[in-house]
Amino acid sequence: MTNLTILAFALVSFIGIATPGPTVLLALTNGSRFGIKAACLGMAGAVLSDFVLIGAVALGLGALLAASEFWFAIVKWIGVGYLTFLGVMLLRSKGTLDVLHTGGSSAGSSSRAIFLKSFFVAVTNPKGYLFFSAFLPQFVRPELPQLPQYLALAATFALIDFAVMFGYAVLGSRAVRLLKKSGALWLDRICGGALLALAGSLAFYRRASA
């Protein structure tokens, strides 16, 4: 795998990751609600999901979801349900500043919860499996050993994913310091509404072969 191939993969990956999606919105929300340090736990969960998704695609799970309406629907509706749950929780929140003032002591702000939220949001999104199934083979040379190539692509994607999410988390943490309580409340509302919109788009998403 040449440096040019990695560079091309990195460029396309950056464009895809920078477009706001569930994990990016969670990084923004976690940064605003709990600070950069806690947000990094969510980023770690999202990065772990990158390796899980790419590993699953390398093992053929992406092809299975593309071919099976049943398993595609199972993964899709789990993802829809979880995104809906997170969106509703944000819509019902009392505002970012209230969380910060109480030290983020609620169960929802625990290290494990922050990590698992980002992990499950990404790993239950069937669009991720289909995306990698269509995207990765274009950068893999079939005549060469597959494992080192997939590892290189996974590490590249995870590094870019972390960098982009970190940028959004910093943006969230800076924004909340400039907002009054009502503005912080609206930040939660906007992110919650965006997650619900993504859940809705996923609910209507269909396999290309369908």
Side-chain angles (χ1 to χ4, degrees):
M1 183 171 290
T2 66
N3 291 333
L4 183 60
T5 300
I6 292 292
L7 181 61
F9 175 79
L11 178 61
V12 177
S13 297
F14 175 78
I15 295 173
I17 294 169
T19 303
T23 54
V24 165
L25 285 173
L26 282 180
L28 176 67
T29 303
N30 289 336
S32 66
R33 292 171 66 84
F34 311 121
I36 299 298
K37 183 177 180 180
C40 284
L41 294 170
M43 298 175 215
V47 165
L48 177 60
S49 73
D50 292 336
F51 284 97
V52 171
L53 262 65
I54 292 177
V57 167
L59 294 174
L61 181 57
L64 173 64
L65 292 181
S68 171
E69 182 68 33
F70 173 77
W71 289 112
F72 177 86
I74 291 294
V75 176
K76 183 182 80 169
W77 287 109
I78 291 174
V80 169
Y82 196 60
L83 282 176
T84 301
F85 168 76
L86 294 179
V88 170
M89 292 299 291
L90 280 176
L91 289 178
R92 296 180 61 189
S93 75
K94 296 181 179 180
T96 297
L97 297 183
D98 285 343
V99 175
L100 294 178
H101 290 162
T102 59
S105 58
S106 66
S109 64
S110 70
S111 299
R112 178 180 296 180
I114 292 172
F115 177 88
L116 291 177
K117 280 180 184 178
S118 294
F119 175 77
F120 282 123
V121 159
V123 87
T124 58
N125 187 348
K127 294 169 70 175
Y129 296 98
L130 299 184
F131 168 75
F132 282 124
S133 293
F135 181 50
L136 291 179
Q138 302 179 46
F139 299 91
V140 174
R141 297 179 60 180
E143 73 276 11
L144 298 178
Q146 302 288 295
L147 180 59
Q149 296 184 78
Y150 276 107
L151 285 176
L153 294 177
T156 301
F157 189 90
L159 181 61
I160 296 171
D161 197 13
F162 185 89
V164 172
M165 287 187 294
F166 188 83
Y168 274 90
V170 170
L171 177 63
S173 67
R174 295 285 177 83
V176 75
R177 286 168 172 77
L178 300 176
L179 295 172
K180 296 181 180 180
K181 181 177 179 178
S182 60
L185 182 62
W186 276 107
L187 179 61
D188 283 354
R189 298 293 185 266
I190 291 171
C191 290
L195 287 176
L196 288 178
L198 288 171
S201 69
L202 181 58
F204 288 101
Y205 186 75
R206 296 290 184 270
R207 298 176 306 134
S209 59

